[in-house]
DNA sequence: GGCTATCCCCTAGTTAGTCTAGGTATAGGC
DNA sequence: GCCTATACCTAGACTAACTAGGGGATAGCC
């Protein structure tokens, strides 16, 4: 939050959540931690972002939810990937690859600098 | 263009426009063509997206506009990069690199499947 | 002259998704 | 009891992209 604002999240979040669920059912809170662990904290997913996203995906039939018990014995809502979610995931992965490929073609050899010196 | 998932990630457009302007002053219409030529049409920038973006960037002091004549002799508004715009660009390039890097760490070895080609 | 296509700019309104900033509730440690 | 971590949720603000138009100027064709 705050410190760094990518504004790039829209679209990529769903993909990462779906990918996380390919590794088995998980509840929201653990999905967040899983993603953050994977990228060493480079991305921070707000709960206020994640839960609406999960509900959206459930409404679209990409995931299915059911209540269960978390490792710590608390009530938790577990999400599993549906076949449609799996299909959506692979489409998104393809789109992501095409999109980032296109952007880097546009950006050419423009090099990521340190943090901000001039080209 | 509708069908594609990542029409444009918020934030990536500004970066591409700023990058385009590092190659010299250009007017809006030619910026669009430049970007589309670069990515072989993989991205489509709508005018209704571009012009508001240019105005935003001008208001923020990243570009400066002035009226001039296009190659075809028409009136056109040319944009040039300001020092602040240049700085913004390199920050965005860095953010972009960090963000896409983080996403691919999360996605791991998940490979783009059928629709496109594979990595 | 009219017609069309291309060039070039613009905006209002809609939609979508993230962020802010709260709220609820339980379990465990002190 | 209090505090922290866990676990879920929502309303409202905000930003930016998209839709779907608009206008005018130029060049070429008939």
């Amino acid at each position: 939050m705050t410190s760094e604002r990518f504004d790039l999240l829209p679209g990529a979040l769903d993909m990462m959540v779906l990918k996380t669920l390919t590794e088995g059912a998980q509840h929201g809170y653990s999905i967040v931690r899983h993603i953050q662990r994977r990228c060493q904290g480079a991305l921070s997913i707000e709960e206020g972002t994640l839960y609406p996203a999960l509900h959206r995906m459930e409404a679209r039939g990409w995931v299915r939810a059911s209540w269960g018990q978390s490792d710590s014995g608390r009530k938790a809502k577990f999400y599993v990937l549906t076949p449609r979610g799996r299909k959506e995931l692979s489409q998104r992965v393809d789109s992501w690859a095409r999109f980032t490929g296109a952007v880097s073609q546009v950006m050419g050899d423009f090099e990521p600098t340190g943090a901000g010196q001039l080209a």
Side-chain angles (χ1 to χ4, degrees), chain A:
Chain A
M1 9 243 202
T2 5
S3 56
E4 177 98 42
R5 225 171 124 40
F6 293 111
D7 276 337
L8 299 167
L9 210 39
L13 175 64
D14 289 359
M15 180 177 72
M16 292 188 287
V17 170
L18 292 171
K19 154 66 181 172
T20 298
L21 293 179
T22 61
E23 301 174 22
Q26 282 185 64
H27 59 273
Y29 201 80
S30 76
I31 291 172
V32 170
R33 276 179 314 177
H34 180 271
I35 291 176
Q36 286 176 340
R37 201 168 49 241
R38 278 290 181 96
C39 66
Q40 281 119 44
L43 303 170
S44 64
I45 314 296
E46 306 301 327
E47 295 189 17
T49 300
L50 178 77
Y51 290 112
L54 283 171
H55 301 158
R56 247 184 350 254
M57 292 192 267
E58 188 181 7
R60 291 172 186 170
W62 302 344
V63 298
R64 195 167 37 244
S66 56
W67 288 96
Q69 268 216 344
S70 74
D71 286 346
S72 61
R74 286 180 186 81
K75 209 174 49 147
K77 203 191 254 181
F78 284 82
Y79 290 89
V80 292
L81 212 51
T82 64
R84 272 168 69 186
R86 204 169 283 279
K87 190 172 159 216
E88 181 68 23
L89 172 57
S90 56
Q91 285 174 353
R92 290 208 175 222
V93 169
D94 289 337
S95 290
W96 174 256
R98 269 197 300 281
F99 180 77
T100 54
V103 170
S104 58
Q105 282 187 310
V106 172
M107 296 306 293
D109 54 356
F110 203 89
E111 54 213 88
T113 67
Q117 100 268 28
L118 61 170

